[in-house]
């Protein structure tokens, strides 16, 4: 299929997905201007074809959207070399120059937000309203780091002797490999690249094989913003070539830094690759977020938070609530209100439909995992209150389970889908033991009106991000990252730039003072 002009999904969703609204009997069209629908790699300021291509599919229909250059180790090496050459001049630009360029890039994202949102919806599956929200969120990191570029300060340290001055300089680490996931194909790039460029680093981006179109559109806009050749490079590749491309990006001596968002298992593999040359590494890995509702909570507020936290992107975010713990005094009330909210607010369909709130899961493997978690829980005594059925393709009904216990698979593994397993608990200590009884710790949520309890629980939760009476946490001003096996380092906020900087100590001696 041609990768330029108007691309049409020629299957009728109703035929593929029995059980979905009859209003979905129409064709779906990805109508994006050709300059934003890039399919080649972007290396050293040039659009480069690889020897082969791989298909990008609409997860809602299975229809091919485009064929994208399938880069291998050779193209990855070329991108690293280009970034290394560009670093020599980019690191010497002034903070103001970098700030201005990042701001221009931000302006272009805002200007083209509707087309960028369409790309996200068609290659990722999320509803268009959420995709628009992601583009705004994505742009906010360029806005934030355009300002942070001018706030990278060193220090002057008081010396212990009179004839010297002690200075601390902050300098960019060098070339950064940026490896990003499919569930936020735009925001995960700008959150990393914005910080890297603000610090004076250059980057090679490897987007997820499911969602390369958003990354390539960002590269197009970076070029239009005037970011010099080699400063931003994008090398898409298929699943089959990911290991060999990743090997280059994580082991090449010219790469100084790796930033990765993805599974804990993959993160451990990349850490081993980085260890041989002792590279700087930051990682945002898997989560298994608890969502605790205490008897003192405002139940309606808790239900609203649960809906926002669980069902955004059909449950496919790293900070999605995965284990719901509700105190016995309000357990039945919470289940009733949550079930009613699910019935009233959730609508399955293609993400481009205005009424859709729940798109498909990214692929069939993702849907199979949710089905497996549901069947395991039911076989162990859980009650199925809502949903539980996999529809055709990768669509999955939003599912509510009661009487869930900690021996069930859905409480031991991150589901990454629209499943709400609800555990009953009696005491605060019991809830904390369950919440912390895992080897990961990215985000955690709880609802309470007891101020003393709020302080106790917020400090006791073993996570990097805590939502208190709030289900949506992310903001460019706030640090994002986890503890335990959920990752290393922080992204966003004033701390995000530090991941791309070295601190150099300079002792200026022999002074006659």
């Amino acid at each position: 299929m041609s990768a330029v002009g108007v691309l049409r999904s020629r299957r009728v969703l109703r035929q593929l997905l029995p059980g979905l609204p009859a209003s979905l009997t129409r064709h779906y069209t990805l109508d994006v201007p050709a300059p934003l629908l890039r399919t080649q790699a972007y290396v050293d300021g040039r659009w480069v074809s690889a020897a082969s291509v791989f298909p990008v599919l609409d997860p809602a229909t299975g229809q091919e959207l485009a064929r994208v250059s399938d880069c291998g180790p050779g193209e990855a090496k070329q991108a690293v070399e280009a970034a290394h050459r560009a670093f020599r001049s980019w690191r010497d630009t002034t903070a103001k120059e970098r700030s201005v360029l990042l701001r221009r890039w931000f302006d272009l994202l805002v200007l083209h937000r509707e087309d960028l949102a369409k790309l996200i919806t068609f290659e990722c599956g999320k509803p268009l309203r959420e995709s628009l929200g992601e583009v705004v969120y994505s742009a906010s990191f360029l806005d934030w780091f355009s300002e942070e570029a001018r706030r990278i300060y060193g220090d002057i340290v008081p010396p212990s002797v009179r004839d010297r001055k002690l200075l601390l300089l902050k300098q960019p680490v060098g070339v950064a490999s940026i490896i990003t996931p499919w569930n936020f194909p735009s925001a995960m790039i700008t959150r990393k690249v914005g910080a890297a460029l603000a610090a004076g680093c250059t980057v090679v981006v490897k987007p997820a094989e499911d969602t390369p179109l958003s990354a390539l559109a960002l590269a197009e806009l970076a070029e239009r913003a005037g970011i010099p050749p080699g400063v931003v490079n994008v090398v898409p590749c298929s699943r089959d070539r990911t290991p060999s491309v990743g090997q280059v990006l994580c082991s090449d001596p010219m790469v100084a830094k790796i930033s990765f968002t993805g599974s804990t298992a993959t993160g451990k593999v990349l850490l081993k690759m980085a260890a041989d040359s002792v590279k700087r590494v930051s990682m945002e890995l898997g989560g298994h977020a608890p969502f605790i509702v205490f008897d003192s909570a405002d139940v309606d507020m808790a239900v609203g938070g649960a809906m926002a936290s669980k069902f955004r992107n059909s449950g496919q975010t790293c900070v999605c609530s995965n284990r719901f713990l509700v105190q016995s005094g309000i357990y039945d009330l919470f289940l009733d209100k949550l079930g009613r909210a699910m019935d009233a607010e959730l609508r399955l369909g293609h993400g481009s439909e205005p009424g859709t709130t729940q798109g498909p899961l990214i692929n069939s493997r993702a849907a199979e995992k949710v089905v497996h978690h549901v069947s395991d829980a039911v076989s162990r005594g859980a009650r199925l209150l809502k949903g539980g059925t996999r529809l055709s393709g990768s669509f999955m009904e939003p599912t509510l389970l009661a009487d869930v216990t900690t021996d069930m698979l859905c409480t031991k593994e991150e589901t990454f889908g629209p499943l709400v397993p609800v555990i009953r608990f009696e005491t605060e200590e019991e809830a904390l033991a369950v919440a912390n009884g895992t080897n990961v710790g990215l985000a955690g949520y709880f609802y309470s009106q007891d101020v003393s309890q709020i302080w106790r629980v917020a400090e006791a939760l073993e996570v990097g991000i805590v939502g208190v009476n709030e289900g949506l946490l992310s903001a460019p001003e706030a640090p994002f990252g986890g503890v335990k096996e959920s990752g290393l380092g922080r992204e966003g906020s004033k701390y995000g730039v530090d991941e791309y900087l070295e601190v150099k100590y300079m002792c200026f001696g022999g002074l006659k003072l």
Side-chain angles (χ1 to χ4, degrees):
M1 179 180 291
S2 173
V4 297
V6 176
L7 297 173
R8 290 178 173 82
S9 174
R10 300 188 180 277
R11 295 185 184 176
V12 178
L13 194 61
R14 177 65 178 173
Q15 295 171 342
L16 287 172
L17 304 171
L20 293 180
S23 62
L24 297 188
T25 55
R26 58 175 292 255
H27 298 292
Y28 294 94
T29 301
L30 173 57
D31 186 5
V32 173
L36 281 180
L37 192 58
R38 291 289 189 174
T39 59
Q40 297 170 293
Y42 184 66
V43 177
D44 204 14
R46 296 178 296 110
W47 295 98
V48 180
S49 296
S52 60
V53 295
F54 68 98
V56 179
L57 307 179
D58 180 348
T61 65
Q63 189 72 20
E64 183 178 298
L65 300 173
R67 293 187 178 186
V68 174
S69 290
D70 192 3
C71 295
E75 289 84 4
K77 179 69 173 178
Q78 291 170 16
V80 169
E81 291 172 347
H84 191 259
R85 288 192 301 271
F87 176 64
R88 297 167 192 164
S89 56
W90 181 249
R91 66 185 174 187
D92 292 331
T93 57
T94 66
K96 183 175 181 179
E97 288 171 327
R98 297 195 296 273
S99 175
V100 168
L101 290 173
L102 284 168
R103 180 69 195 194
R104 287 179 188 166
W105 198 10
F106 160 80
D107 289 337
L108 287 169
L109 261 68
V110 173
L111 179 64
H112 294 282
R113 61 187 178 276
E114 292 186 1
D115 288 327
L116 295 172
K118 290 175 187 176
L119 287 173
I120 293 172
T121 288
F122 273 80
E123 67 177 348
C124 175
K126 66 176 63 174
L128 189 58
R129 182 177 177 182
E130 287 190 24
S131 296
L132 281 166
E134 179 179 344
V135 175
V136 172
Y137 180 52
S138 176
S140 73
F141 287 108
L142 299 181
D143 180 36
W144 173 261
F145 287 117
S146 73
E147 298 170 351
E148 286 299 293
R150 302 184 71 176
R151 294 195 284 262
I152 298 174
Y153 305 134
D155 283 301
I156 298 176
V157 179
S160 57
V161 293
R162 293 178 58 85
D163 68 342
R164 64 188 62 182
K165 294 291 184 182
L166 311 183
L167 291 82
L168 305 183
L169 309 178
K170 290 188 177 180
Q171 297 181 315
V173 298
V175 176
S177 292
I178 308 295
I179 304 173
T180 57
W182 52 264
N183 57 340
F184 285 92
S186 180
M188 294 302 94
I189 292 175
T190 58
R191 189 164 73 185
K192 299 171 186 292
V193 174
L197 268 57
C201 296
T202 57
V203 299
V204 179
V205 179
K206 194 212 82 66
E209 64 273 10
D210 295 301
T211 55
L213 301 180
S214 293
L216 296 169
L218 289 176
E220 166 68 22
L221 296 181
E223 183 177 68
R224 294 188 201 178
I227 293 174
V231 173
V232 174
N233 305 272
V234 180
V235 285
C237 67
S238 63
R239 185 181 302 274
D240 289 342
R241 290 198 169 184
T242 291
S244 59
V245 169
Q247 180 73 38
V248 172
L249 298 183
C250 294
S251 62
D252 191 287
M254 287 184 285
V255 173
K257 157 80 179 179
I258 300 166
S259 179
F260 169 73
T261 295
S263 71
T264 299
T266 301
K268 290 178 179 180
V269 172
L270 301 186
L271 275 171
K272 291 176 182 177
M273 292 183 187
D276 285 342
S277 49
V278 196
K279 299 186 189 303
R280 287 279 294 274
V281 176
S282 57
M283 295 194 169
E284 189 259 288
L285 306 176
H288 193 30
F291 187 102
I292 308 170
V293 187
F294 292 100
D295 282 342
S296 68
D298 179 323
V299 176
D300 289 330
M301 183 185 292
V303 167
M307 293 291 292
S309 172
K310 177 74 261 185
F311 293 111
R312 187 168 53 124
N313 198 15
S314 300
Q316 299 174 109
T317 83
C318 52
V319 292
C320 270
S321 298
N322 210 60
R323 298 168 293 153
F324 289 75
L325 296 91
V326 180
Q327 202 157 12
S328 58
I330 57 168
Y331 186 84
D332 293 330
L333 178 63
F334 178 84
L335 285 173
D336 178 65
K337 286 179 175 285
L338 181 58
R340 292 174 186 272
M342 291 170 64
D343 288 340
E345 299 177 24
L346 302 181
R347 295 290 180 271
L348 282 162
H350 194 283
S352 63
E353 288 284 351
T356 295
T357 66
Q358 299 291 285
L361 301 187
I362 190 64
N363 52 41
S364 294
R365 295 188 305 279
E368 289 165 3
K369 184 176 183 180
V370 179
V371 170
H372 181 50
H373 280 192
V374 172
S375 61
D376 172 80
V378 171
S379 72
R380 296 174 185 272
R383 286 187 294 130
L384 180 62
L385 301 184
K386 298 284 179 187
T389 300
R390 177 185 174 183
L391 305 175
S392 297
S394 60
F395 279 83
M396 182 73 199
E397 284 186 327
T399 301
L400 177 59
L401 294 175
D403 299 337
V404 173
T405 56
T406 56
D407 64 332
M408 298 174 184
L409 200 56
C410 59
T411 69
K412 298 178 179 180
E413 297 178 356
E414 186 178 24
T415 301
F416 233 62
L419 171 60
V420 183
V422 186
I423 302 168
R424 185 193 301 265
F425 74 89
E426 299 295 335
T427 67
E428 179 182 312
E429 293 75 16
E430 179 188 354
L432 285 170
V434 173
N436 291 336
T438 177
N439 63 350
V440 294
L442 184 56
Y445 308 82
F446 69 94
Y447 281 72
S448 171
Q449 297 298 311
D450 181 333
V451 175
S452 296
Q453 182 177 63
I454 286 172
W455 282 110
R456 290 195 306 270
V457 175
E459 292 188 349
L461 281 174
E462 296 172 0
V463 296
I465 308 167
V466 180
V468 183
N469 297 325
E470 180 55 62
L472 295 176
L473 304 171
S474 300
E477 304 85 359
F480 192 100
V483 300
K484 300 182 180 178
E485 293 186 16
S486 282
L488 302 167
R490 293 294 181 268
E491 294 185 341
S493 79
K494 68 178 183 179
Y495 302 105
V497 174
D498 290 341
E499 300 291 335
Y500 298 89
L501 294 168
E502 298 282 11
V503 177
K504 178 183 285 185
Y505 160 48
M506 184 173 74
C507 179
F508 191 178
L511 301 175
K512 301 186 186 309
L513 301 174

